[in-house]
Amino acid sequence: MPSTDILVVGSGPVGLAAALKVAAMGYRVAIVAPATRPDDHRTAALLAGSVEFLESLGVWPLVKDQSAPLRSLRIVDATRRLIRAPEVLFHASEIGLDAFGYNIANAALTAGLDRLCRERGIERIEASVERIAVTADDAVVAHIDTGETITARLVAAADGRRSRVRDSIGIAEWDWRYDQSALVTNIRHTLPHDETSTEFHTEGGPFTLVPLPGQRSSLVWVDRPAEAKRRAALAPEALAAEIEARSQSILGKVALDGPAQVFPLSGMGVRAFAAQRAVLLGEAAHLFPPIGAQGLNLGYSDVAALGESLAGHPEDPGEASRLAAYDRSRRADIYARTAAVDALNRTLLTGFLPVQAVRGLGLFLLDRIPALRRAVMLRGVGSPANPPG
């Protein structure tokens, strides 16, 4: 029965970052996860706070040249409704930043994290955790699908939305679904993106173009499930033509630069973020629609909070006071962002005129009031590292 101080369950971008973080604090760490990963062509828009966090781990220099800076953010009301919001354009320079963040392929980011974990000698066990249980001597035992067990003082669960760790320690979750799906793909285009991310708001959801290196961008097109399914079945040239039309040709001629994938939109929350010598990280703790670049950035806030809860290098990282500190630190932030993303998405779907008016007024005020613009931008990019500016 091998043992370690902290067992990280999951080898995605949150789990690997967690392993690097706690290993740097002096803990013995092991990662347990299956050998193969899902085929993922998505990208992640890492906001400035997350970039600072990855720099502190030593990861960002390994992957920065595979990313594209996001120096400007544009919001366009592309609905055909009676009340429409004004176009709003934000620049990172307004808050003293070179860029709001960087967009990078998930596969590239994960590869960089994985490389650094191996270079630093973090133990890797290729298996799946089936359940965990706390023992009488204040340890936790992870039962894995090879029939073996691993003991630890703390389990950091980054094993996704269907977390077996979360289920085995009895943390209740609630989830909900939207009448929406996201079509995700990458494109090439003939006009430069000028390092500007553009989000078109439509009746079915946001249509978001985010810069990639060169004259390439990633696309997240949220719409009704039938429409997303229909578009995904189109020939590449036909889908590219629809993308070009919806984007109002702001990037010129468009061609696909990878497969189109469709993901149903849903959300999930949990009743607690730590229990029984385990903490929940990333999608084991929260799940969002792909709006506002919250998902992975919030996952890195989880990892930063875990590090803060273990400050002082306690001999027992899974003691009750450390779990309580982590739970307190995550509760308000996660619940507030969950509510905000859900509300923003629902305002796009509603045909209720007063709601449309409030949304339009909010964007109008963001466009016209410098202090409000700055506050909103700083709030958006400041987590999980110290707030920029």
Side-chain angles (χ1 to χ4, degrees):
M1 180 186 294
S3 65
T4 190
D5 292 330
I6 298 176
L7 180 66
V8 176
V9 182
S11 60
V14 171
L16 294 174
L20 288 167
K21 177 65 178 179
V22 295
M25 298 177 72
Y27 290 104
R28 292 180 301 134
V29 182
I31 300 169
V32 59
T36 58
R37 296 193 182 96
D39 184 26
D40 189 352
H41 297 273
R42 292 174 294 177
T43 66
L46 298 170
L47 299 177
S50 293
V51 173
E52 290 181 19
F53 175 68
L54 292 172
E55 285 178 338
S56 73
L57 296 180
V59 176
W60 190 242
L62 302 179
V63 300
K64 182 178 179 180
D65 63 354
Q66 300 175 71
S67 70
L70 310 178
R71 304 195 197 281
S72 300
L73 304 176
R74 178 191 294 121
I75 299 175
V76 180
D77 189 336
T79 66
R80 296 179 295 274
R81 289 172 174 158
L82 178 62
I83 300 176
R84 296 176 60 187
E87 179 175 321
V88 183
L89 182 62
F90 303 96
H91 302 287
S93 59
E94 296 179 63
I95 53 173
L97 295 179
D98 180 58
F100 288 112
Y102 291 79
N103 194 34
I104 186 171
N106 284 355
L109 176 60
T110 301
L113 288 160
D114 185 74
R115 170 185 164 185
L116 198 56
C117 284
R118 295 181 188 278
E119 289 177 355
R120 295 184 180 176
I122 295 174
E123 183 182 2
R124 180 74 62 91
I125 301 165
E126 294 184 348
S128 295
V129 170
E130 295 184 329
R131 60 185 178 88
I132 67 170
V134 177
T135 68
D137 56 352
D138 292 332
V140 63
V141 177
H143 297 260
I144 60 178
D145 59 2
T146 63
E148 300 173 300
T149 57
I150 308 166
T151 62
R153 306 294 277 175
L154 174 70
V155 170
D159 52 343
R161 65 188 69 183
R162 298 179 181 86
S163 171
R164 290 184 176 179
V165 173
R166 185 187 65 229
D167 291 345
S168 68
I169 60 177
I171 291 181
E173 80 276 0
W174 71 94
D175 54 32
W176 60 95
R177 299 192 178 277
Y178 299 93
D179 185 25
Q180 296 167 291
S181 291
L183 183 147
V184 178
T185 191
N186 297 327
I187 60 172
R188 300 187 308 275
H189 38 84
T190 57
L191 295 180
H193 47 54
D194 295 326
E195 298 169 338
T196 298
S197 177
T198 301
E199 183 172 288
F200 293 89
H201 287 179
T202 78
E203 291 87 349
F207 172 100
T208 307
L209 294 163
V210 189
L212 285 169
Q215 292 192 181
R216 301 170 55 245
S217 295
S218 61
L219 167 69
V220 179
W221 190 348
V222 176
D223 207 338
R224 301 301 184 183
E227 276 298 288
K229 182 178 179 181
R230 178 190 66 80
R231 293 186 184 111
L234 293 173
E237 296 79 9
L239 176 56
E242 290 206 15
I243 293 170
E244 184 178 333
R246 171 53 74 184
S247 66
Q248 301 176 12
S249 299
I250 62 169
L251 297 176
K253 187 69 175 176
V254 168
L256 296 193
D257 190 35
Q261 299 174 291
V262 173
F263 300 91
L265 261 60
S266 59
M268 184 207 68
V270 298
R271 302 295 180 185
F273 300 95
Q276 298 189 49
R277 292 190 168 271
V279 297
L280 304 182
L281 307 171
E283 289 191 352
H286 43 75
L287 182 64
F288 296 91
I291 296 171
Q294 291 301 304
L296 181 55
N297 289 286
L298 201 57
Y300 285 148
S301 292
D302 299 339
V303 178
L306 175 61
E308 291 172 3
S309 72
L310 298 178
H313 196 265
E315 180 179 343
D316 182 1
E319 65 184 14
S321 65
R322 303 293 169 170
L323 298 184
Y326 177 79
D327 183 79
R328 285 194 305 271
S329 70
R330 300 312 300 134
R331 187 170 293 271
D333 186 25
I334 291 172
Y335 287 166
R337 292 180 189 268
T338 298
V341 170
D342 181 70
L344 175 60
N345 189 38
R346 293 185 190 278
T347 65
L348 293 177
L349 298 177
T350 184
F352 190 45
L353 282 176
V355 173
Q356 295 175 26
V358 169
R359 176 176 159 272
L361 176 61
L363 289 173
F364 174 80
L365 295 176
L366 282 176
D367 186 47
R368 298 302 178 91
I369 303 177
L372 180 60
R373 287 168 63 87
R374 179 178 172 81
V376 169
M377 287 187 279
L378 285 171
R379 172 65 175 169
V381 302
S383 180
N386 292 330

